[in-house]
PDB file of all heavy atoms in Angstrom:
ATOM      1  N   ARG A   1     139.854 158.733 148.502  1.00 96.00           N
ATOM      2  CA  ARG A   1     138.890 158.811 149.612  1.00 96.00           C
ATOM      3  C   ARG A   1     139.583 158.921 150.967  1.00 96.00           C
ATOM      4  O   ARG A   1     138.926 159.145 151.986  1.00 96.00           O
ATOM      5  CB  ARG A   1     137.980 157.576 149.603  1.00 96.00           C
ATOM      6  CG  ARG A   1     137.099 157.471 148.363  1.00 96.00           C
ATOM      7  CD  ARG A   1     136.419 156.132 148.292  1.00 96.00           C
ATOM      8  NE  ARG A   1     137.394 155.045 148.177  1.00 96.00           N
ATOM      9  CZ  ARG A   1     137.066 153.757 148.088  1.00 96.00           C
ATOM     10  NH1 ARG A   1     135.788 153.403 148.114  1.00 96.00           N
ATOM     11  NH2 ARG A   1     138.001 152.831 147.981  1.00 96.00           N
ATOM     12  N   LEU A   2     140.900 158.776 150.960  1.00 97.00           N
ATOM     13  CA  LEU A   2     141.688 158.844 152.199  1.00 97.00           C
ATOM     14  C   LEU A   2     142.882 159.772 151.961  1.00 97.00           C
ATOM     15  O   LEU A   2     144.035 159.377 152.074  1.00 97.00           O
ATOM     16  CB  LEU A   2     142.157 157.441 152.591  1.00 97.00           C
ATOM     17  CG  LEU A   2     142.694 157.251 154.022  1.00 97.00           C
ATOM     18  CD1 LEU A   2     141.597 157.519 155.042  1.00 97.00           C
ATOM     19  CD2 LEU A   2     143.266 155.865 154.203  1.00 97.00           C
ATOM     20  N   ALA A   3     142.555 161.006 151.586  1.00 98.00           N
ATOM     21  CA  ALA A   3     143.599 161.955 151.204  1.00 98.00           C
ATOM     22  C   ALA A   3     143.218 163.373 151.600  1.00 98.00           C
ATOM     23  O   ALA A   3     142.032 163.684 151.783  1.00 98.00           O
ATOM     24  CB  ALA A   3     143.846 161.881 149.701  1.00 98.00           C
ATOM     25  N   VAL A   4     144.242 164.211 151.720  1.00 98.00           N
ATOM     26  CA  VAL A   4     144.070 165.637 152.024  1.00 98.00           C
ATOM     27  C   VAL A   4     144.961 166.424 151.075  1.00 98.00           C
ATOM     28  O   VAL A   4     146.106 166.038 150.815  1.00 98.00           O
ATOM     29  CB  VAL A   4     144.452 165.948 153.490  1.00 98.00           C
ATOM     30  CG1 VAL A   4     144.355 167.453 153.768  1.00 98.00           C
ATOM     31  CG2 VAL A   4     143.573 165.168 154.462  1.00 98.00           C
ATOM     32  N   MET A   5     144.428 167.528 150.573  1.00 98.00           N
ATOM     33  CA  MET A   5     145.194 168.454 149.731  1.00 98.00           C
ATOM     34  C   MET A   5     145.643 169.633 150.573  1.00 98.00           C
ATOM     35  O   MET A   5     144.926 170.097 151.465  1.00 98.00           O
ATOM     36  CB  MET A   5     144.320 168.951 148.577  1.00 98.00           C
ATOM     37  CG  MET A   5     144.958 170.022 147.703  1.00 98.00           C
ATOM     38  SD  MET A   5     146.336 169.364 146.735  1.00 98.00           S
ATOM     39  CE  MET A   5     146.964 170.859 145.961  1.00 98.00           C
ATOM     40  N   VAL A   6     146.847 170.131 150.296  1.00 98.00           N
ATOM     41  CA  VAL A   6     147.357 171.332 150.956  1.00 98.00           C
ATOM     42  C   VAL A   6     147.787 172.315 149.878  1.00 98.00           C
ATOM     43  O   VAL A   6     148.544 171.956 148.967  1.00 98.00           O
ATOM     44  CB  VAL A   6     148.569 171.021 151.866  1.00 98.00           C
ATOM     45  CG1 VAL A   6     148.998 172.275 152.627  1.00 98.00           C
ATOM     46  CG2 VAL A   6     148.247 169.901 152.833  1.00 98.00           C
ATOM     47  N   GLY A   7     147.297 173.552 149.957  1.00 98.00           N
ATOM     48  CA  GLY A   7     147.645 174.545 148.943  1.00 98.00           C
ATOM     49  C   GLY A   7     147.517 175.953 149.451  1.00 98.00           C
ATOM     50  O   GLY A   7     147.168 176.175 150.619  1.00 98.00           O
ATOM     51  N   ASP A   8     147.792 176.889 148.553  1.00 96.00           N
ATOM     52  CA  ASP A   8     147.817 178.292 148.973  1.00 96.00           C
ATOM     53  C   ASP A   8     146.912 179.188 148.142  1.00 96.00           C
ATOM     54  O   ASP A   8     146.932 180.405 148.327  1.00 96.00           O
ATOM     55  CB  ASP A   8     149.254 178.841 148.894  1.00 96.00           C
ATOM     56  CG  ASP A   8     149.718 179.031 147.454  1.00 96.00           C
ATOM     57  OD1 ASP A   8     149.614 178.061 146.662  1.00 96.00           O
ATOM     58  OD2 ASP A   8     150.173 180.141 147.115  1.00 96.00           O
ATOM     59  N   SER A   9     146.140 178.622 147.219  1.00 93.00           N
ATOM     60  CA  SER A   9     145.408 179.478 146.276  1.00 93.00           C
ATOM     61  C   SER A   9     144.032 178.940 145.949  1.00 93.00           C
ATOM     62  O   SER A   9     143.676 177.806 146.297  1.00 93.00           O
ATOM     63  CB  SER A   9     146.209 179.597 144.972  1.00 93.00           C
ATOM     64  OG  SER A   9     146.169 178.356 144.273  1.00 93.00           O
ATOM     65  N   ASP A  10     143.272 179.758 145.235  1.00 94.00           N
ATOM     66  CA  ASP A  10     141.950 179.333 144.786  1.00 94.00           C
ATOM     67  C   ASP A  10     142.058 178.139 143.848  1.00 94.00           C
ATOM     68  O   ASP A  10     141.180 177.287 143.811  1.00 94.00           O
ATOM     69  CB  ASP A  10     141.223 180.489 144.096  1.00 94.00           C
ATOM     70  CG  ASP A  10     141.880 180.888 142.782  1.00 94.00           C
ATOM     71  OD1 ASP A  10     143.122 181.030 142.746  1.00 94.00           O
ATOM     72  OD2 ASP A  10     141.149 181.069 141.788  1.00 94.00           O
ATOM     73  N   VAL A  11     143.157 178.057 143.095  1.00 94.00           N
ATOM     74  CA  VAL A  11     143.358 176.927 142.190  1.00 94.00           C
ATOM     75  C   VAL A  11     143.401 175.624 142.979  1.00 94.00           C
ATOM     76  O   VAL A  11     142.738 174.641 142.624  1.00 94.00           O
ATOM     77  CB  VAL A  11     144.657 177.105 141.374  1.00 94.00           C
ATOM     78  CG1 VAL A  11     144.936 175.863 140.536  1.00 94.00           C
ATOM     79  CG2 VAL A  11     144.566 178.329 140.485  1.00 94.00           C
ATOM     80  N   ASP A  12     144.160 175.593 144.055  1.00 96.00           N
ATOM     81  CA  ASP A  12     144.275 174.395 144.878  1.00 96.00           C
ATOM     82  C   ASP A  12     142.952 174.054 145.544  1.00 96.00           C
ATOM     83  O   ASP A  12     142.540 172.883 145.589  1.00 96.00           O
ATOM     84  CB  ASP A  12     145.354 174.589 145.948  1.00 96.00           C
ATOM     85  CG  ASP A  12     146.716 174.853 145.357  1.00 96.00           C
ATOM     86  OD1 ASP A  12     147.116 174.119 144.434  1.00 96.00           O
ATOM     87  OD2 ASP A  12     147.386 175.795 145.803  1.00 96.00           O
ATOM     88  N   ILE A  13     142.281 175.053 146.053  1.00 98.00           N
ATOM     89  CA  ILE A  13     141.022 174.826 146.763  1.00 98.00           C
ATOM     90  C   ILE A  13     139.950 174.337 145.805  1.00 98.00           C
ATOM     91  O   ILE A  13     139.219 173.382 146.099  1.00 98.00           O
ATOM     92  CB  ILE A  13     140.596 176.102 147.507  1.00 98.00           C
ATOM     93  CG1 ILE A  13     141.602 176.415 148.622  1.00 98.00           C
ATOM     94  CG2 ILE A  13     139.187 175.954 148.081  1.00 98.00           C
ATOM     95  CD1 ILE A  13     141.460 177.785 149.234  1.00 98.00           C
ATOM     96  N   ARG A  14     139.855 174.953 144.619  1.00 97.00           N
ATOM     97  CA  ARG A  14     138.871 174.511 143.628  1.00 97.00           C
ATOM     98  C   ARG A  14     139.165 173.099 143.146  1.00 97.00           C
ATOM     99  O   ARG A  14     138.252 172.301 142.913  1.00 97.00           O
ATOM    100  CB  ARG A  14     138.834 175.483 142.441  1.00 97.00           C
ATOM    101  CG  ARG A  14     138.145 176.800 142.765  1.00 97.00           C
ATOM    102  CD  ARG A  14     137.898 177.630 141.525  1.00 97.00           C
ATOM    103  NE  ARG A  14     139.115 178.205 140.978  1.00 97.00           N
ATOM    104  CZ  ARG A  14     139.545 178.024 139.746  1.00 97.00           C
ATOM    105  NH1 ARG A  14     138.876 177.242 138.912  1.00 97.00           N
ATOM    106  NH2 ARG A  14     140.649 178.606 139.327  1.00 97.00           N
ATOM    107  N   THR A  15     140.437 172.784 142.985  1.00 98.00           N
ATOM    108  CA  THR A  15     140.823 171.446 142.547  1.00 98.00           C
ATOM    109  C   THR A  15     140.381 170.402 143.561  1.00 98.00           C
ATOM    110  O   THR A  15     139.781 169.376 143.208  1.00 98.00           O
ATOM    111  CB  THR A  15     142.350 171.363 142.363  1.00 98.00           C
ATOM    112  OG1 THR A  15     142.768 172.336 141.407  1.00 98.00           O
ATOM    113  CG2 THR A  15     142.755 169.982 141.875  1.00 98.00           C
ATOM    114  N   ALA A  16     140.694 170.641 144.820  1.00 98.00           N
ATOM    115  CA  ALA A  16     140.341 169.693 145.874  1.00 98.00           C
ATOM    116  C   ALA A  16     138.832 169.529 145.990  1.00 98.00           C
ATOM    117  O   ALA A  16     138.324 168.400 146.115  1.00 98.00           O
ATOM    118  CB  ALA A  16     140.934 170.153 147.203  1.00 98.00           C
ATOM    119  N   LYS A  17     138.101 170.627 145.944  1.00 98.00           N
ATOM    120  CA  LYS A  17     136.650 170.540 146.059  1.00 98.00           C
ATOM    121  C   LYS A  17     136.055 169.773 144.889  1.00 98.00           C
ATOM    122  O   LYS A  17     135.136 168.958 145.070  1.00 98.00           O
ATOM    123  CB  LYS A  17     136.056 171.947 146.147  1.00 98.00           C
ATOM    124  CG  LYS A  17     136.332 172.635 147.475  1.00 98.00           C
ATOM    125  CD  LYS A  17     135.573 173.930 147.606  1.00 98.00           C
ATOM    126  CE  LYS A  17     135.719 174.496 149.007  1.00 98.00           C
ATOM    127  NZ  LYS A  17     134.829 175.636 149.245  1.00 98.00           N
ATOM    128  N   ALA A  18     136.575 170.012 143.694  1.00 98.00           N
ATOM    129  CA  ALA A  18     136.073 169.295 142.521  1.00 98.00           C
ATOM    130  C   ALA A  18     136.358 167.806 142.619  1.00 98.00           C
ATOM    131  O   ALA A  18     135.606 166.977 142.083  1.00 98.00           O
ATOM    132  CB  ALA A  18     136.697 169.866 141.254  1.00 98.00           C
ATOM    133  N   ALA A  19     137.453 167.455 143.306  1.00 98.00           N
ATOM    134  CA  ALA A  19     137.825 166.046 143.482  1.00 98.00           C
ATOM    135  C   ALA A  19     137.147 165.410 144.693  1.00 98.00           C
ATOM    136  O   ALA A  19     137.283 164.205 144.906  1.00 98.00           O
ATOM    137  CB  ALA A  19     139.340 165.927 143.619  1.00 98.00           C
ATOM    138  N   GLY A  20     136.452 166.212 145.483  1.00 98.00           N
ATOM    139  CA  GLY A  20     135.815 165.696 146.682  1.00 98.00           C
ATOM    140  C   GLY A  20     136.798 165.358 147.785  1.00 98.00           C
ATOM    141  O   GLY A  20     136.554 164.455 148.596  1.00 98.00           O
ATOM    142  N   ILE A  21     137.896 166.101 147.825  1.00 98.00           N
ATOM    143  CA  ILE A  21     138.976 165.844 148.781  1.00 98.00           C
ATOM    144  C   ILE A  21     139.113 167.046 149.715  1.00 98.00           C
ATOM    145  O   ILE A  21     139.138 168.195 149.249  1.00 98.00           O
ATOM    146  CB  ILE A  21     140.297 165.588 148.025  1.00 98.00           C
ATOM    147  CG1 ILE A  21     140.199 164.262 147.257  1.00 98.00           C
ATOM    148  CG2 ILE A  21     141.502 165.581 148.968  1.00 98.00           C
ATOM    149  CD1 ILE A  21     141.323 164.022 146.291  1.00 98.00           C
ATOM    150  N   PRO A  22     139.181 166.833 151.032  1.00 98.00           N
ATOM    151  CA  PRO A  22     139.327 167.964 151.953  1.00 98.00           C
ATOM    152  C   PRO A  22     140.633 168.719 151.699  1.00 98.00           C
ATOM    153  O   PRO A  22     141.637 168.121 151.291  1.00 98.00           O
ATOM    154  CB  PRO A  22     139.307 167.317 153.339  1.00 98.00           C
ATOM    155  CG  PRO A  22     139.666 165.880 153.110  1.00 98.00           C
ATOM    156  CD  PRO A  22     139.145 165.537 151.750  1.00 98.00           C
ATOM    157  N   VAL A  23     140.598 170.017 151.980  1.00 98.00           N
ATOM    158  CA  VAL A  23     141.750 170.855 151.655  1.00 98.00           C
ATOM    159  C   VAL A  23     142.108 171.763 152.818  1.00 98.00           C
ATOM    160  O   VAL A  23     141.240 172.397 153.428  1.00 98.00           O
ATOM    161  CB  VAL A  23     141.489 171.682 150.374  1.00 98.00           C
ATOM    162  CG1 VAL A  23     140.237 172.532 150.488  1.00 98.00           C
ATOM    163  CG2 VAL A  23     142.696 172.532 150.012  1.00 98.00           C
ATOM    164  N   VAL A  24     143.402 171.799 153.116  1.00 98.00           N
ATOM    165  CA  VAL A  24     143.961 172.720 154.109  1.00 98.00           C
ATOM    166  C   VAL A  24     144.710 173.801 153.346  1.00 98.00           C
ATOM    167  O   VAL A  24     145.549 173.498 152.490  1.00 98.00           O
ATOM    168  CB  VAL A  24     144.920 171.999 155.074  1.00 98.00           C
ATOM    169  CG1 VAL A  24     145.567 173.004 156.033  1.00 98.00           C
ATOM    170  CG2 VAL A  24     144.189 170.911 155.851  1.00 98.00           C
ATOM    171  N   ALA A  25     144.405 175.050 153.636  1.00 98.00           N
ATOM    172  CA  ALA A  25     145.077 176.163 152.970  1.00 98.00           C
ATOM    173  C   ALA A  25     146.094 176.806 153.899  1.00 98.00           C
ATOM    174  O   ALA A  25     145.853 176.923 155.106  1.00 98.00           O
ATOM    175  CB  ALA A  25     144.057 177.211 152.522  1.00 98.00           C
ATOM    176  N   VAL A  26     147.223 177.207 153.332  1.00 98.00           N
ATOM    177  CA  VAL A  26     148.226 177.947 154.100  1.00 98.00           C
ATOM    178  C   VAL A  26     147.999 179.433 153.870  1.00 98.00           C
ATOM    179  O   VAL A  26     147.702 179.869 152.758  1.00 98.00           O
ATOM    180  CB  VAL A  26     149.659 177.534 153.698  1.00 98.00           C
ATOM    181  CG1 VAL A  26     149.874 176.050 153.928  1.00 98.00           C
ATOM    182  CG2 VAL A  26     149.963 177.887 152.246  1.00 98.00           C
ATOM    183  N   SER A  27     148.137 180.206 154.923  1.00 97.00           N
ATOM    184  CA  SER A  27     147.847 181.640 154.836  1.00 97.00           C
ATOM    185  C   SER A  27     149.024 182.457 154.318  1.00 97.00           C
ATOM    186  O   SER A  27     148.877 183.635 154.014  1.00 97.00           O
ATOM    187  CB  SER A  27     147.449 182.170 156.219  1.00 97.00           C
ATOM    188  OG  SER A  27     148.541 182.060 157.132  1.00 97.00           O
ATOM    189  N   PHE A  28     150.213 181.821 154.222  1.00 96.00           N
ATOM    190  CA  PHE A  28     151.437 182.562 153.903  1.00 96.00           C
ATOM    191  C   PHE A  28     151.859 182.433 152.440  1.00 96.00           C
ATOM    192  O   PHE A  28     152.963 182.803 152.075  1.00 96.00           O
ATOM    193  CB  PHE A  28     152.574 182.070 154.805  1.00 96.00           C
ATOM    194  CG  PHE A  28     152.660 180.574 154.930  1.00 96.00           C
ATOM    195  CD1 PHE A  28     153.220 179.797 153.924  1.00 96.00           C
ATOM    196  CD2 PHE A  28     152.147 179.934 156.057  1.00 96.00           C
ATOM    197  CE1 PHE A  28     153.284 178.415 154.037  1.00 96.00           C
ATOM    198  CE2 PHE A  28     152.211 178.547 156.182  1.00 96.00           C
ATOM    199  CZ  PHE A  28     152.782 177.790 155.160  1.00 96.00           C
ATOM    200  N   GLY A  29     150.984 181.912 151.593  1.00 94.00           N
ATOM    201  CA  GLY A  29     151.343 181.696 150.196  1.00 94.00           C
ATOM    202  C   GLY A  29     151.068 182.881 149.295  1.00 94.00           C
ATOM    203  O   GLY A  29     151.147 184.031 149.731  1.00 94.00           O
ATOM    204  N   TYR A  30     150.697 182.587 148.048  1.00 92.00           N
ATOM    205  CA  TYR A  30     150.654 183.616 147.012  1.00 92.00           C
ATOM    206  C   TYR A  30     149.251 183.972 146.545  1.00 92.00           C
ATOM    207  O   TYR A  30     149.061 184.482 145.437  1.00 92.00           O
ATOM    208  CB  TYR A  30     151.474 183.157 145.801  1.00 92.00           C
ATOM    209  CG  TYR A  30     152.909 182.808 146.114  1.00 92.00           C
ATOM    210  CD1 TYR A  30     153.610 181.904 145.331  1.00 92.00           C
ATOM    211  CD2 TYR A  30     153.586 183.381 147.197  1.00 92.00           C
ATOM    212  CE1 TYR A  30     154.925 181.574 145.599  1.00 92.00           C
ATOM    213  CE2 TYR A  30     154.890 183.057 147.482  1.00 92.00           C
ATOM    214  CZ  TYR A  30     155.561 182.146 146.687  1.00 92.00           C
ATOM    215  OH  TYR A  30     156.866 181.817 146.954  1.00 92.00           O
ATOM    216  N   SER A  31     148.252 183.695 147.358  1.00 91.00           N
ATOM    217  CA  SER A  31     146.885 184.004 146.963  1.00 91.00           C
ATOM    218  C   SER A  31     146.668 185.512 146.867  1.00 91.00           C
ATOM    219  O   SER A  31     147.146 186.280 147.704  1.00 91.00           O
ATOM    220  CB  SER A  31     145.899 183.422 147.982  1.00 91.00           C
ATOM    221  OG  SER A  31     144.573 183.757 147.640  1.00 91.00           O
ATOM    222  N   ALA A  32     145.908 185.914 145.839  1.00 85.00           N
ATOM    223  CA  ALA A  32     145.614 187.335 145.652  1.00 85.00           C
ATOM    224  C   ALA A  32     144.614 187.839 146.691  1.00 85.00           C
ATOM    225  O   ALA A  32     144.529 189.042 146.936  1.00 85.00           O
ATOM    226  CB  ALA A  32     145.068 187.572 144.245  1.00 85.00           C
ATOM    227  N   VAL A  33     143.864 186.926 147.282  1.00 91.00           N
ATOM    228  CA  VAL A  33     142.911 187.274 148.340  1.00 91.00           C
ATOM    229  C   VAL A  33     143.169 186.349 149.518  1.00 91.00           C
ATOM    230  O   VAL A  33     143.840 185.329 149.395  1.00 91.00           O
ATOM    231  CB  VAL A  33     141.451 187.137 147.863  1.00 91.00           C
ATOM    232  CG1 VAL A  33     141.177 188.068 146.689  1.00 91.00           C
ATOM    233  CG2 VAL A  33     141.142 185.694 147.480  1.00 91.00           C
ATOM    234  N   SER A  34     142.609 186.680 150.656  1.00 95.00           N
ATOM    235  CA  SER A  34     142.776 185.833 151.831  1.00 95.00           C
ATOM    236  C   SER A  34     142.191 184.449 151.556  1.00 95.00           C
ATOM    237  O   SER A  34     141.034 184.327 151.119  1.00 95.00           O
ATOM    238  CB  SER A  34     142.079 186.450 153.044  1.00 95.00           C
ATOM    239  OG  SER A  34     142.060 185.534 154.127  1.00 95.00           O
ATOM    240  N   VAL A  35     142.980 183.414 151.818  1.00 96.00           N
ATOM    241  CA  VAL A  35     142.476 182.063 151.584  1.00 96.00           C
ATOM    242  C   VAL A  35     141.295 181.744 152.490  1.00 96.00           C
ATOM    243  O   VAL A  35     140.494 180.848 152.179  1.00 96.00           O
ATOM    244  CB  VAL A  35     143.583 180.994 151.772  1.00 96.00           C
ATOM    245  CG1 VAL A  35     144.601 181.074 150.660  1.00 96.00           C
ATOM    246  CG2 VAL A  35     144.236 181.111 153.151  1.00 96.00           C
ATOM    247  N   ARG A  36     141.143 182.472 153.564  1.00 97.00           N
ATOM    248  CA  ARG A  36     140.008 182.253 154.465  1.00 97.00           C
ATOM    249  C   ARG A  36     138.686 182.577 153.783  1.00 97.00           C
ATOM    250  O   ARG A  36     137.628 182.106 154.220  1.00 97.00           O
ATOM    251  CB  ARG A  36     140.178 183.086 155.735  1.00 97.00           C
ATOM    252  CG  ARG A  36     141.287 182.572 156.649  1.00 97.00           C
ATOM    253  CD  ARG A  36     141.457 183.397 157.913  1.00 97.00           C
ATOM    254  NE  ARG A  36     142.313 182.709 158.878  1.00 97.00           N
ATOM    255  CZ  ARG A  36     143.634 182.742 158.854  1.00 97.00           C
ATOM    256  NH1 ARG A  36     144.261 183.438 157.903  1.00 97.00           N
ATOM    257  NH2 ARG A  36     144.332 182.072 159.756  1.00 97.00           N
ATOM    258  N   ASN A  37     138.736 183.379 152.725  1.00 97.00           N
ATOM    259  CA  ASN A  37     137.528 183.731 151.980  1.00 97.00           C
ATOM    260  C   ASN A  37     137.226 182.759 150.848  1.00 97.00           C
ATOM    261  O   ASN A  37     136.251 182.948 150.119  1.00 97.00           O
ATOM    262  CB  ASN A  37     137.667 185.141 151.396  1.00 97.00           C
ATOM    263  CG  ASN A  37     137.803 186.209 152.462  1.00 97.00           C
ATOM    264  OD1 ASN A  37     137.275 186.060 153.567  1.00 97.00           O
ATOM    265  ND2 ASN A  37     138.506 187.285 152.146  1.00 97.00           N
ATOM    266  N   LEU A  38     138.065 181.738 150.687  1.00 97.00           N
ATOM    267  CA  LEU A  38     137.925 180.819 149.555  1.00 97.00           C
ATOM    268  C   LEU A  38     137.322 179.476 149.936  1.00 97.00           C
ATOM    269  O   LEU A  38     137.176 178.604 149.080  1.00 97.00           O
ATOM    270  CB  LEU A  38     139.292 180.612 148.884  1.00 97.00           C
ATOM    271  CG  LEU A  38     139.951 181.881 148.334  1.00 97.00           C
ATOM    272  CD1 LEU A  38     141.350 181.559 147.798  1.00 97.00           C
ATOM    273  CD2 LEU A  38     139.085 182.502 147.237  1.00 97.00           C
ATOM    274  N   GLY A  39     136.972 179.309 151.208  1.00 97.00           N
ATOM    275  CA  GLY A  39     136.250 178.132 151.634  1.00 97.00           C
ATOM    276  C   GLY A  39     137.020 176.848 151.828  1.00 97.00           C
ATOM    277  O   GLY A  39     136.467 175.762 151.622  1.00 97.00           O
ATOM    278  N   PRO A  40     138.296 176.896 152.245  1.00 98.00           N
ATOM    279  CA  PRO A  40     138.990 175.639 152.553  1.00 98.00           C
ATOM    280  C   PRO A  40     138.424 175.021 153.829  1.00 98.00           C
ATOM    281  O   PRO A  40     137.707 175.679 154.583  1.00 98.00           O
ATOM    282  CB  PRO A  40     140.439 176.083 152.757  1.00 98.00           C
ATOM    283  CG  PRO A  40     140.314 177.477 153.298  1.00 98.00           C
ATOM    284  CD  PRO A  40     139.134 178.072 152.573  1.00 98.00           C
ATOM    285  N   ASP A  41     138.764 173.764 154.060  1.00 98.00           N
ATOM    286  CA  ASP A  41     138.283 173.110 155.279  1.00 98.00           C
ATOM    287  C   ASP A  41     139.007 173.611 156.523  1.00 98.00           C
ATOM    288  O   ASP A  41     138.425 173.639 157.614  1.00 98.00           O
ATOM    289  CB  ASP A  41     138.463 171.591 155.140  1.00 98.00           C
ATOM    290  CG  ASP A  41     137.592 171.019 154.040  1.00 98.00           C
ATOM    291  OD1 ASP A  41     136.385 170.857 154.262  1.00 98.00           O
ATOM    292  OD2 ASP A  41     138.120 170.777 152.944  1.00 98.00           O
ATOM    293  N   ARG A  42     140.272 173.966 156.364  1.00 98.00           N
ATOM    294  CA  ARG A  42     141.065 174.537 157.447  1.00 98.00           C
ATOM    295  C   ARG A  42     142.066 175.517 156.851  1.00 98.00           C
ATOM    296  O   ARG A  42     142.444 175.404 155.688  1.00 98.00           O
ATOM    297  CB  ARG A  42     141.859 173.465 158.215  1.00 98.00           C
ATOM    298  CG  ARG A  42     141.036 172.504 159.045  1.00 98.00           C
ATOM    299  CD  ARG A  42     140.512 173.148 160.332  1.00 98.00           C
ATOM    300  NE  ARG A  42     139.996 172.141 161.256  1.00 98.00           N
ATOM    301  CZ  ARG A  42     138.819 171.530 161.122  1.00 98.00           C
ATOM    302  NH1 ARG A  42     138.054 171.804 160.082  1.00 98.00           N
ATOM    303  NH2 ARG A  42     138.416 170.639 162.031  1.00 98.00           N
TER     304      ARG A  42
END
């Protein structure tokens, strides 16, 4: 309940959302699509 996830892909974002944990995505990673289209918190 006092944590943040940081990742670069839909896998990371889906994991965090399923866990109810806010997620920050990095734009310079290995995502096949723009992480901005995957709904991270930042």
Side-chain angles (χ1 to χ4, degrees):
R1 296 170 297 180
L2 195 64
V4 176
M5 175 69 185
V6 185
D8 72 308
S9 71
D10 67 314
V11 174
D12 300 313
I13 294 168
R14 286 190 288 123
T15 302
K17 288 188 172 189
I21 292 170
V23 56
V24 176
V26 301
S27 64
F28 45 78
Y30 304 154
S31 178
V33 299
S34 171
V35 290
R36 289 180 168 83
N37 297 330
L38 300 175
D41 295 283
R42 291 285 193 283

